[in-house]
Amino acid sequence: MEFSVLGTLTVTANGAPVELGGTTQRAVLGYLLLNANQVVPISQLIRVLWRDDPPSTARKMVHNSIWSIRRTMVSPRGRAVKLATQPPGYVFRVDDDAIDLFRFRRLVRQGRQELNGGATERGIDLLRQGLGLWRGPALADVVDPAQCWSELAAIEDERLGAYEVCLESELACGRHRELTAELERLTAAQPRRESLHRLYMLALYRSGRQLDALDVFQRVRNSLVDGSGVEPGHDLRRVHELILRHDRSLQSDPDRPALHT
């Protein structure tokens, strides 16, 4: 049985989709999968699902959802899946590799290790494999954006952090021209994430587009000042200054070949 949370919530058994229940059942399952192999208290489930305004039947609704999930999770041979009651709540026991989130984390961890060991191409390939598991925002069809589960914010930050490590490594290998379109999309979706904008500015500058790189700095500065009243941080300002000076330190290492995906 395979579980996918990096996008819409899906469950498959032997490659065939498993029919899931209604909104509450899907939310309970999604939250248990984010915290797989850990005890999740009933009170925590209620708080996550209904925040400060749970219905009087909230505990019963959670119990009913657990009962329905248990009926649905018929595990094929060789893949252990068990939704157990363990005070003060429940624990969803499942092999890590059965959940795409945990496979993503494993690939990112391995990719970072390869990069730290000097195996750049292998490291980038592992990071790209992990990022390729994402099909959209985590639990996109389950969680109302207004709910803002803290777990989902942390997972999104993991995704962006992995992207930055991957892109930084690829830029160091001279792939600036190939990465500009991807960085343009990422920065458009994250208008205040300075670390992504720094990489975008580097890619543009190394592609001979100094004015475009400076324009990126001005846009993110305007977004920060208008939205929060703060100036860009040191790293972004430093790259801006170096671009203005055409500093040679901004160039990628010419002795390192460009990588291929």
Side-chain angles (χ1 to χ4, degrees):
M1 188 166 280
E2 304 289 333
F3 303 90
S4 299
V5 299
L6 302 180
T8 56
L9 174 62
T10 62
V11 180
T12 59
N14 290 327
V18 174
E19 192 70 28
L20 301 177
T23 302
T24 302
Q25 181 180 329
R26 293 173 66 85
V28 169
L29 175 59
Y31 194 77
L32 290 172
L33 288 171
L34 295 184
N35 297 277
N37 302 312
Q38 302 178 55
V39 176
V40 178
I42 297 175
S43 59
Q44 186 174 337
L45 279 168
I46 292 173
R47 183 170 60 254
V48 165
L49 268 61
W50 292 285
R51 304 185 72 176
D52 299 325
D53 189 27
S56 59
T57 58
R59 186 172 289 266
K60 182 178 181 180
M61 292 171 71
V62 169
H63 286 316
N64 289 342
S65 294
I66 294 294
W67 181 81
S68 297
I69 292 169
R70 281 175 172 151
R71 289 189 61 191
T72 303
M73 301 295 110
V74 179
S75 174
R77 183 178 61 185
R79 181 69 78 176
V81 177
K82 182 179 180 181
L83 177 49
T85 299
Q86 184 169 329
Y90 306 98
V91 56
F92 198 97
R93 296 195 177 99
V94 59
D95 293 347
D96 284 352
D97 270 357
I99 306 176
D100 58 356
L101 170 61
F102 291 85
R103 294 199 303 273
F104 162 75
R105 286 172 171 165
R106 174 175 54 79
L107 288 165
V108 169
R109 182 173 61 253
Q110 292 172 344
R112 289 175 181 266
Q113 290 171 348
E114 294 289 346
L115 290 175
N116 290 336
T120 305
E121 291 197 40
R122 175 61 177 160
I124 290 173
D125 180 63
L126 287 165
L127 289 170
R128 285 288 179 182
Q129 287 182 45
L131 292 165
L133 295 174
W134 286 75
R135 299 166 290 110
L139 297 179
D141 61 333
V142 172
V143 182
D144 185 331
Q147 289 183 290
C148 298
W149 291 4
S150 60
E151 288 85 356
L152 295 182
I155 291 168
E156 175 64 6
D157 196 58
E158 287 183 54
R159 181 184 76 90
L160 293 173
Y163 245 128
E164 288 166 358
V165 171
C166 184
L167 292 166
E168 183 101 54
S169 299
E170 290 178 296
L171 283 173
C173 294
R175 298 195 60 211
H176 36 271
R177 295 185 188 277
E178 298 96 315
L179 294 172
T180 52
E182 185 174 10
L183 279 161
E184 182 179 13
R185 292 192 299 271
L186 286 168
T187 52
Q190 300 289 332
R192 296 188 185 181
R193 192 167 178 103
E194 295 183 39
S195 45
L196 279 176
H197 285 80
R198 180 182 67 84
L199 296 175
Y200 188 27
M201 290 169 64
L202 284 173
L204 290 170
Y205 179 76
R206 291 173 181 175
S207 300
R209 299 169 58 183
Q210 181 191 22
L211 292 180
D212 289 336
L214 295 173
D215 185 58
V216 168
F217 176 83
Q218 194 58 50
R219 287 203 308 270
V220 69
R221 180 183 182 277
N222 291 343
S223 177
L224 290 167
V225 171
D226 294 343
S228 306
V230 297
E231 291 285 342
H234 173 269
D235 289 347
L236 200 64
R237 295 198 314 271
R238 177 63 175 163
V239 170
H240 178 248
E241 294 167 0
L242 293 174
I243 288 174
L244 287 172
R245 299 205 308 258
H246 293 279
D247 197 285
R248 294 186 61 184
S249 66
L250 293 177
Q251 298 301 323
S252 56
D253 188 340
D255 296 325
R256 300 180 69 176
L259 303 183
H260 300 281
T261 55

